[in-house]
Amino acid sequence: MLEMFSLKGKTAIVTGANTGLGQGMCVAFAEAGANVCGVARRSCQETKEKVLAVGGKFIEVMADLSSTEPVKRILDECIKEFGGADILVNNAGIIKREDAINVNEEDWQQVLNVNLNVVFFLSQEFAKRAILKNKGGKIINICSMLSYQGGIRVPAYAASKSAVMGLTKALCNEWAAKGINVNGIAPGYMATNNTQALRSDEARSEAILDRIPQGRWGTPDDLMGASIFLASSASDYVNGFTIAVDGGWLAR
């Protein structure tokens, strides 16, 4: 049974791999036996060291995901190094906090470029190559609690993450028959860079913790199990679904 969760011989591409949830998933994939291609606009040296420490192989692809320009290069560099790509995790994302009445078009577009546009076109390029080789693959889109809810002062982020959950379903409908599983993970309130402002606001942090049944912020380690499941053959008949890893937040 445990062999179903093995990623031995597989290669995973993870965007936003330099820190936080992306870094945690890179280490998890390496521990499960996969080669890892980490994508980020900043150095992934710390992630590389963590992957090597558990006996994994890692390459870094420096790319600014505020545009679709690096999409093909990411796949090319990964395939050149490891001979293929079996798993794609669309994790990179940005958030800009501002009252909706004051959001400008530049900030709105930047959030959608990173959180939605690149997710689609990177998935498309991954799928084209998988279908050409008739080998299937696994795509994991990192959604959010705001794929379900509206949030406060983050209209572009909420819109993009709601769209990513819808996109997950849409791509499943077209690619499931091609052997490509497209699923999502919706992390709850995680202790990462994106939530630093919330955690620093004592009143806001307390209000959030009061609603989480498990009574704590999540950590990158909390995402490891779900990501391994969706990347492995254990989830071969799971498609188009978004798993919440939220400490019970959505149950309240």
Side-chain angles (χ1 to χ4, degrees):
M1 174 57 69
L2 291 179
E3 290 182 3
M4 295 180 67
F5 294 88
S6 173
L7 300 180
K8 187 176 181 179
K10 303 293 186 180
T11 294
I13 298 173
V14 181
T15 65
N18 60 308
T19 189
L21 301 183
Q23 183 178 91
M25 286 185 284
C26 286
V27 175
F29 291 148
E31 289 182 333
N35 302 317
V36 181
C37 173
V39 182
R41 62 190 179 94
R42 297 189 179 94
S43 172
C44 292
Q45 183 60 33
E46 183 179 83
T47 304
K48 180 179 180 178
E49 291 171 1
K50 289 177 179 290
V51 167
L52 295 180
V54 299
K57 295 181 179 179
F58 183 90
I59 65 162
E60 172 187 272
V61 178
M62 298 290 286
D64 182 351
L65 298 182
S66 62
S67 80
T68 59
E69 182 275 329
V71 162
K72 291 185 178 180
R73 177 171 61 84
I74 292 168
L75 270 295
D76 287 342
E77 292 191 26
C78 179
I79 292 169
K80 180 180 179 181
E81 179 69 20
F82 294 126
D86 307 284
I87 301 153
L88 170 65
V89 181
N90 288 304
N91 167 70
I94 61 172
I95 188 167
K96 290 181 177 290
R97 301 183 187 279
E98 179 59 87
D99 292 343
I101 200 72
N102 295 324
V103 172
N104 61 54
E105 185 173 354
E106 180 181 357
D107 285 349
W108 173 274
Q109 195 59 54
Q110 186 179 8
V111 172
L112 265 67
N113 281 343
V114 176
N115 294 8
L116 179 61
N117 296 347
V118 170
V119 169
F120 172 70
F121 286 104
L122 190 53
S123 297
Q124 181 191 66
E125 187 66 23
F126 176 89
K128 283 180 179 179
R129 300 184 190 217
I131 292 169
L132 184 63
K133 292 189 174 183
N134 194 30
K135 62 178 292 188
K138 303 276 187 172
I139 298 175
I140 303 171
N141 294 323
I142 303 304
C143 300
S144 169
M145 290 296 94
L146 298 192
S147 298
Y148 300 91
Q149 301 169 325
I152 299 170
R153 303 186 73 243
V154 286
Y157 185 84
S160 68
K161 290 300 185 178
S162 294
V164 168
M165 189 163 73
L167 179 65
T168 298
K169 299 172 185 177
L171 297 183
C172 157
N173 289 338
E174 294 197 38
W175 296 344
K178 305 292 186 181
I180 299 173
N181 296 73
V182 188
N183 291 292
I185 298 175
Y189 283 89
M190 298 286 179
T192 65
N193 293 342
N194 273 355
T195 61
Q196 183 60 55
L198 292 178
R199 288 182 288 119
S200 297
D201 183 331
E202 186 174 342
R204 186 84 172 96
S205 179
E206 184 177 349
I208 289 169
L209 288 174
D210 282 347
R211 182 175 162 166
I212 301 172
Q214 283 191 234
R216 66 172 176 86
W217 289 80
T219 70
D221 286 354
D222 290 318
L223 223 61
M224 288 182 171
S227 60
I228 293 296
F229 169 64
L230 291 179
S232 70
S233 62
S235 62
D236 280 351
Y237 203 59
V238 179
N239 225 325
F241 190 72
T242 296
I243 298 174
V245 181
D246 65 349
W249 173 273
L250 289 177
R252 291 291 293 269

